[in-house]
Amino acid sequence: MDTDATVYDFDEVIDRRHAPYSYSSKWSTSAATAEHNGVSAITDDHIALFTADMDFRCAAPIVDALRATADHGVFGYSTLDGCERYHAAVAGWFARRDGWKINPDLMTFCAGTVRALQYAIEAFTQPGEGVIIQRPVYPPFAGSVEDAGRALLDNHLVRQADGAETGDLYYTMDYEGLEELAARPDATMLILCNPHNPVGRVWTSEELERVADICTRNGVMIVADEIHGDLLRPGVCMRHLAQVAPYARVMTCTAVNKTFNLAGLSATNVVFSDARDRVRFERAMRFSEPTPFGISAVIAAYEQGEPWLEQCLSYLDGTIDAVLGFFAERLPDVRVRRPEGTYVLWFDFEDRCRALGIDGAELHRRIYEEAKVILQDGVKFDPRDGEFFQRMCVPSPRSVLMEACERIARVL
């Protein structure tokens, strides 16, 4: 049982590579994981900072709920039909924290957010139609569109220049470009990322309203991936697109997986603005029911997980401060800025690489092979401009992060 007085140790280094019952994809040394990350082999000395999950122990109420579920001892087919406590926990969380009132009748469960994107594309678009994304962005957005045989339309984000009031690595939307793409007769969907992964923007009400207006006027449905929405810096407010633009046709993806480190339980809650879209989505999804563990975890997280989350956010802020301070001192020509939301950092190594006379491939080799730090290459998020970018996921014990930074500094 958790209380407001419970103090969590986020500095604890937990073995996720060899510990029994871990099964971590992030810390795997398999040949498939090595190939995915572009390294010859993954050794025990490699530090994994490429996957957006946490290396922290979950909140005590969640662990207690999972133990109680295991003790029940029966794991048959599970359903949320009639489970009012589940729906109340989800709706209560967003009403309490963000002022967003969800109608439970417009909510459905899906076993994972990427799956939800795939089902949405199947349900609401036709082969050959255009789906808009905003690169640099989470790679499965593009993969889901292309794998479904839809046309990928890139409304590229705009990086502000050094002299801009906002400072470097601050991204905004290209509204004129969005208008042009949305006006195409074949454009039927926009996949929005808020907070944006990897650039760290939390879109303002004004930005979201402008996007909603463009899409609504042009008959473009919006699928809003908002699963990082609880991971905010102090003073930043989360505004959900469905909240600020209730007139828009929108499907919103929410989840406990990033907030409470429960990605392995695959519990995404999808909220629609129109009941007919929920029916179409569920038909495309066919059969997708939660496990009893997923149900218990979501209820415990949203009912009792807030004290853990507040401590976690404070720890993450300190870690981000430490990493930014390290690069400012040791590698000042590597560009990075504090994200408004998410727990990822988006590094631009171009100036450092130019000074060293190396290209993106050599940057990758030095970091991944010599330093033995696995990040994620920028070209996966942005094939056009991402050669010298790397994404770092920071929710690990601070000692692990700082060791990774030291290694990167040594090879650059």
Side-chain angles (χ1 to χ4, degrees):
M1 179 63 67
D2 197 6
T3 69
D4 288 344
T6 303
V7 177
Y8 290 95
D9 181 11
F10 296 99
D11 284 318
E12 179 187 7
V13 178
I14 301 169
D15 178 15
R16 297 186 65 197
R17 180 161 279 158
H18 298 298
Y21 312 110
S22 175
Y23 317 118
S24 170
S25 61
K26 174 180 177 179
W27 289 92
S28 170
T29 58
S30 71
T33 303
E35 181 180 7
H36 173 76
N37 288 290
V39 295
S40 55
I42 297 176
T43 69
D44 281 351
D45 196 36
H46 270 94
I47 296 176
L49 303 177
F50 69 95
T51 296
D53 75 0
M54 301 184 186
D55 293 322
F56 306 140
R57 201 176 300 280
C58 287
I62 298 174
V63 177
D64 291 342
L66 293 175
R67 287 196 180 111
T69 304
D71 288 343
H72 181 258
V74 181
F75 312 114
Y77 294 118
S78 303
T79 182
L80 291 172
D81 293 342
C83 189
E84 295 182 4
R85 187 179 176 189
Y86 181 97
H87 294 94
V90 176
W93 177 265
F94 291 103
R96 185 168 66 249
R97 292 185 67 88
D98 302 332
W100 180 33
K101 295 181 180 180
I102 293 174
N103 180 353
D105 292 336
L106 296 176
M107 185 174 75
T108 195
F109 172 89
C110 184
T113 304
V114 173
R115 287 187 181 182
L117 297 179
Q118 294 166 341
Y119 292 137
I121 293 168
E122 179 182 344
F124 305 119
T125 70
Q126 296 297 318
E129 289 184 341
V131 178
I132 304 167
I133 66 172
Q134 296 175 311
R135 282 170 163 161
V137 77
Y138 182 51
F141 282 20
S144 297
V145 173
E146 293 173 331
D147 289 347
R150 275 58 169 176
L152 185 66
L153 307 178
D154 181 19
N155 172 227
H156 213 280
L157 297 180
V158 179
R159 175 182 175 176
Q160 300 303 299
D162 277 334
E165 182 179 346
T166 53
D168 192 27
L169 280 179
Y170 184 87
Y171 287 80
T172 57
M173 295 193 204
D174 174 8
Y175 298 106
E176 292 184 2
L178 178 59
E179 184 83 57
E180 290 178 6
L181 291 176
R184 289 175 46 153
D186 63 332
T188 52
M189 178 181 288
L190 164 70
I191 304 178
L192 177 80
C193 196
N194 181 40
H196 194 281
N197 172 17
V199 307
R201 281 298 318 280
V202 178
W203 305 115
T204 65
S205 294
E206 293 75 19
E207 289 170 313
L208 293 173
E209 287 174 1
R210 194 166 178 184
V211 169
D213 288 345
I214 291 171
C215 290
T216 301
R217 279 190 283 101
N218 289 282
V220 172
M221 181 181 184
I222 303 171
V223 175
D225 177 350
E226 298 182 345
I227 63 173
H228 289 265
D230 295 311
L231 302 168
L232 307 176
R233 304 285 77 74
V236 178
C237 296
M238 177 65 186
R239 290 293 177 262
H240 303 269
L241 186 139
Q243 179 185 19
V244 302
Y247 52 84
R249 185 184 176 201
V250 58
M251 168 184 143
T252 305
C253 297
T254 74
V256 292
N257 61 346
K258 303 304 179 190
T259 306
F260 293 103
N261 198 31
L262 298 171
L265 295 180
S266 299
T268 294
N269 293 296
V270 184
V271 183
F272 296 89
S273 60
D274 189 313
R276 292 167 296 184
D277 284 336
R278 173 184 171 172
V279 172
R280 290 177 64 181
F281 179 86
E282 289 178 340
R283 285 175 180 165
M285 186 169 56
R286 300 171 186 89
F287 184 81
S288 179
E289 294 289 354
T291 68
F293 294 98
I295 296 172
S296 295
V298 169
I299 293 172
Y302 283 152
E303 287 186 347
Q304 303 177 67
E306 217 154 2
W308 179 92
L309 176 60
E310 295 308 318
Q311 292 183 47
C312 181
L313 290 174
S314 177
Y315 188 86
L316 290 173
D317 290 338
T319 298
I320 290 171
D321 284 341
V323 173
L324 296 183
F326 178 93
F327 276 84
E329 179 180 351
R330 297 284 297 278
L331 294 170
D333 55 357
V334 175
R335 299 169 187 260
V336 60
R337 72 177 288 135
R338 174 183 300 279
E340 297 170 346
T342 78
Y343 49 49
V344 305
L345 294 176
W346 183 236
F347 288 90
D348 178 2
F349 286 89
E350 182 170 7
D351 289 348
R352 179 93 294 258
C353 290
R354 300 296 185 202
L356 295 171
I358 64 174
D359 60 9
E362 175 62 12
L363 172 69
H364 175 101
R365 191 195 67 78
R366 291 194 186 193
I367 294 176
Y368 292 56
E369 299 279 10
E370 286 190 34
K372 289 184 167 46
V373 176
I374 304 177
L375 305 177
Q376 196 162 11
D377 288 327
V379 291
K380 295 184 177 181
F381 300 83
D382 184 1
R384 189 187 80 183
D385 300 326
E387 177 183 3
F388 295 104
F389 281 85
Q390 294 287 331
R391 188 191 75 162
M392 175 188 288
C393 297
V394 303
S396 298
R398 203 164 296 157
S399 61
V400 174
L401 262 294
M402 301 320 295
E403 169 62 21
C405 292
E406 286 284 354
R407 293 185 186 187
I408 293 171
R410 284 199 295 268
V411 299
L412 296 179

